Amino acid sequence: MELLLNAKQMKACDERTIGLGIPSVVLMERAALAVVEEMEQASLDLSRVLVICGSGNNGGDGFAVARMLAYTPEGWAGSVFPPVCPRQRTAAKANAARQVAVFFAGKETAMTKETALERRICENCGIKISSNFPDGEYTTIVDAMFGIGLSRAVEGRYADVIEWINAQNAQVVSVDIPSGVSADTGCAPGRAVCADLTVTFAARKLGQILYPGAAYCGRLVCKDIGIPTGGMNASESFASGKVPPVFTYTEQDLTRLPKRVPDSHKGTFGKVLLIAGSEGMSGAACLAARGAFRSGCGMVRVFTPACNRLVIQTAIPEAMVTSWEPGEAKLELLAEALAWSDVVGIGPGLGTTEDAKELLGHVLGHYAKPLVIDADGLNLLSAHRSLNIPASLRGRVILTPHVGEMARLAGLDKQAILADLIGTARQFASFREVVCVLKDARSVVSDGKQVYLNTSGNDGMAVAGSGDVLTGVLCGLLAQGMSVFDAASLGVYIHGLAGDLARDELGAYGMMAGDIANFVGKVMKRKKSSDAG
């Protein structure tokens, strides 16, 4: 598990570290060294470097970066400290070819004391610092204007500088976060630097993971510079009345999957009932069933109109099918299927007819086990306010809306949701007393308190049926006994990993939802290597 911090939480970590007696300028030096090391490891062309500094501590990082880039064993800018060994001579020759200049875009009166100190050191080393708008051509530009504390749109001279940076034929490296991007939301209300590489410190920030901030960051690297973040855990934050940090998963978290026992049988791993499909929409039921099986459940049963029986039995022979004819007493059949199941998924390809509404209403009124509502199930909830989640199901329901479905469910504007995915998911989950899986390029899972932000997946998954597979995966994990929130967050992560494997083998253009379902099994197989690690 990896914590993702907002600007306020990161500042608290900084202050706590400084409170231990570590001077902030020491952290600044460590940050600058981390940036330079990453630039050199990335084999950037450092022959002509321009470092653009602001007045805040991000600018201080930039001044230190410029000094370190310009350093050779012989000194800076012509100082004579002759190298004493061949290795030093080689390093000196390489660094001597670098031309490093600094453009100070900030205000003298607004400089922090640390930034003013780093500037004086640069001047003492003979590094050229200009307050005039840059000209000439550069191979690499270092953006150190604004750090994670920026909370407004960039305007005026700064906006002009950012526009100039983005127009240059140079590699761009941002220190901590691209200037203009919000560290909390990833939004860039004005102009923002388009970086090729962003080097951040201690922990990744929400705005570097959420879009469009993730795109502005380019390749994001997080470096440890001695700022501990371990104390920013959920229990401490709740105890102090603060919002807890958001978290994401890494492959090590596959160890959270339910264990398989050798003396098991098909009932051991749970029974999934999928209420899915309508005329012409049998594929959604097939994809959900395949996702459930691939995620490890023991049995899958599909409740669907009779017109889908042959297709589903042919495509997924492992699944049982309970079908109903128009006019048949389908609720009696449904009652038996509900009693059989350990978890229900309803919605994929279901339609929004009166029959579909009746089925969902019966489930909500007569079921008290874990329930996943997706697709047309969500459309029915938003269209019929009489369909309410009863008290008996609160805390046991996963709703999986994409942004458009969330807009209808919550009565919100799409752009408002996109501007605050995390806040929207958390507030909606708290109000409805459900676990919300808000699906987007960065899906968010929340139970109203905890928040998981997904970092797996890719644009090849933007294809019809992908959400149906996710419904099956969530149901499969719930059937194996995972808690509702854990199944939702880990299921979203596994679904994204499966998409990444499919992209790697098939390419983003050629992927289909069925490929994602098939690769879910390969993701689950990785649990063994995670256990060993």
Side-chain angles (χ1 to χ4, degrees):
M1 181 186 294
E2 175 190 356
L3 295 182
L4 304 172
L5 305 185
N6 61 28
K8 187 175 182 180
Q9 289 162 343
M10 189 65 240
K11 184 178 180 181
C13 292
D14 285 339
E15 291 175 348
R16 188 173 54 204
T17 304
I18 294 168
L20 295 174
I22 301 173
S24 58
V25 73
V26 170
L27 299 178
M28 189 173 284
E29 288 287 310
R30 290 177 178 175
L33 182 59
V35 172
V36 172
E37 286 177 345
E38 197 59 40
M39 290 172 69
E40 292 176 341
Q41 289 175 11
S43 299
L44 301 180
D45 184 347
L46 302 178
S47 56
R48 284 182 56 82
V49 180
L50 177 68
V51 182
I52 304 179
C53 300
S55 303
N57 280 356
N58 193 250
D61 295 342
F63 281 117
V65 166
R67 186 189 80 241
M68 292 175 188
L69 285 173
Y71 172 78
T72 77
E74 294 180 311
W76 298 270
S79 299
V80 283
F81 293 93
V84 296
C85 70
R87 187 174 181 181
Q88 284 184 315
R89 292 192 192 101
T90 302
K93 186 175 181 181
N95 287 13
R98 296 176 182 172
Q99 297 181 39
V100 181
V102 176
F103 168 46
F104 179 59
K107 298 178 180 178
E108 299 279 350
T109 55
M111 275 196 294
T112 65
K113 62 180 182 180
E114 293 87 358
T115 300
L117 172 62
E118 292 289 0
R119 173 172 177 156
R120 285 197 302 274
I121 296 171
C122 269
E123 290 171 336
N124 293 340
C125 294
I127 296 171
K128 181 182 177 182
I129 300 173
S130 174
S131 295
N132 297 322
F133 202 84
D135 56 9
E137 296 183 358
Y138 300 91
T139 58
T140 298
I141 297 172
V142 178
D143 157 38
M145 281 190 293
F146 298 107
I148 62 171
L150 184 70
S151 58
R152 56 181 173 79
V154 177
E155 299 173 340
R157 187 187 191 211
Y158 294 116
D160 293 339
V161 174
I162 290 174
E163 189 172 342
W164 177 86
I165 292 172
N166 291 339
Q168 301 309 298
N169 183 25
Q171 294 285 297
V172 177
V173 178
S174 284
V175 177
D176 211 1
I177 194 167
S179 293
V181 174
S182 166
D184 293 343
T185 67
C187 294
R191 291 184 175 87
V193 170
C194 296
D196 299 289
L197 168 66
T198 298
V199 183
T200 195
F201 315 113
R204 293 191 291 175
K205 318 307 183 295
L206 295 176
Q208 297 164 337
I209 305 301
L210 294 164
Y211 285 95
Y216 283 110
C217 285
R219 184 170 70 88
L220 177 64
V221 177
C222 184
K223 306 287 280 189
D224 179 11
I225 61 169
I227 300 176
T229 59
M232 295 299 296
N233 61 62
S235 59
E236 283 187 10
S237 298
F238 280 130
S240 60
K242 298 176 183 177
V243 176
V246 176
F247 71 93
T248 192
Y249 284 143
T250 66
E251 282 203 33
Q252 187 61 37
D253 288 291
L254 291 176
T255 57
R256 298 171 182 272
L257 284 167
K259 293 187 181 299
R260 309 286 289 190
V261 292
D263 59 338
S264 59
H265 53 81
K266 61 187 178 183
T268 304
F269 303 115
K271 296 173 284 187
V272 171
L273 174 64
L274 295 170
I275 305 170
S278 56
E279 187 173 357
M281 294 294 289
S282 58
C286 293
L287 290 167
R290 186 171 285 118
F293 270 128
R294 293 294 189 191
S295 62
C297 73
M299 304 171 74
V300 175
R301 184 174 183 176
V302 181
F303 189 87
T304 192
C307 59
N308 292 328
R309 171 182 283 276
L310 181 59
V311 174
I312 294 172
Q313 288 185 323
T314 302
I316 313 288
E318 300 88 349
M320 296 176 284
V321 179
T322 299
S323 61
W324 52 274
E325 295 282 358
E328 189 176 0
K330 58 184 178 296
L331 295 186
E332 293 181 10
L333 294 172
L334 179 58
E336 186 276 326
L338 291 174
W340 168 88
S341 68
D342 295 313
V343 58
V344 167
I346 183 169
L350 186 66
T352 55
T353 63
E354 281 300 313
D355 281 332
K357 177 187 174 186
E358 188 177 14
L359 292 174
L360 178 58
H362 186 83
V363 171
L364 292 173
H366 297 84
Y367 198 66
K369 297 177 183 178
L371 172 65
V372 179
I373 305 178
D374 181 39
D376 285 327
L378 300 172
N379 292 330
L380 287 166
L381 284 178
S382 59
H384 303 282
R385 298 301 177 185
S386 60
L387 294 173
N388 294 312
I389 297 172
S392 59
L393 276 172
R394 287 170 188 164
R396 300 182 185 182
V397 178
I398 299 175
L399 301 184
T400 62
H402 56 57
V403 172
E405 290 164 340
M406 176 59 85
R408 293 189 290 273
L409 281 169
L412 298 173
D413 178 75
K414 287 184 181 179
Q415 291 305 313
I417 296 171
L418 288 169
D420 188 12
L421 287 171
I422 291 173
T424 300
R426 180 187 275 128
Q427 291 166 21
F428 180 83
S430 177
F431 178 73
R432 290 290 187 102
E433 296 184 72
V434 299
V435 171
C436 176
V437 176
L438 180 50
K439 298 183 293 193
D440 198 51
R442 293 287 191 235
S443 294
V444 178
V445 181
S446 180
D447 60 0
K449 296 179 180 178
Q450 304 173 87
V451 177
Y452 168 78
L453 178 58
N454 191 53
T455 52
S456 64
N458 60 85
D459 52 48
M461 300 176 72
V463 62
S466 178
D468 303 325
V469 175
L470 176 60
T471 295
V473 172
L474 299 180
C475 288
L477 295 179
L478 287 168
Q480 295 170 75
M482 293 194 74
S483 71
V484 177
F485 179 76
D486 288 347
S489 53
L490 192 60
V492 169
Y493 178 63
I494 289 169
H495 181 253
L497 279 185
D500 289 339
L501 290 179
R503 176 204 56 198
D504 293 345
E505 183 163 318
L506 304 170
Y509 288 96
M511 288 170 55
M512 295 189 295
D515 300 318
I516 301 171
N518 290 335
F519 276 99
V520 167
K522 292 192 175 182
V523 171
M524 309 298 271
K525 186 179 178 182
R526 290 187 174 190
K527 179 180 185 293
K528 282 191 175 181
S529 59
S530 297
D531 285 339

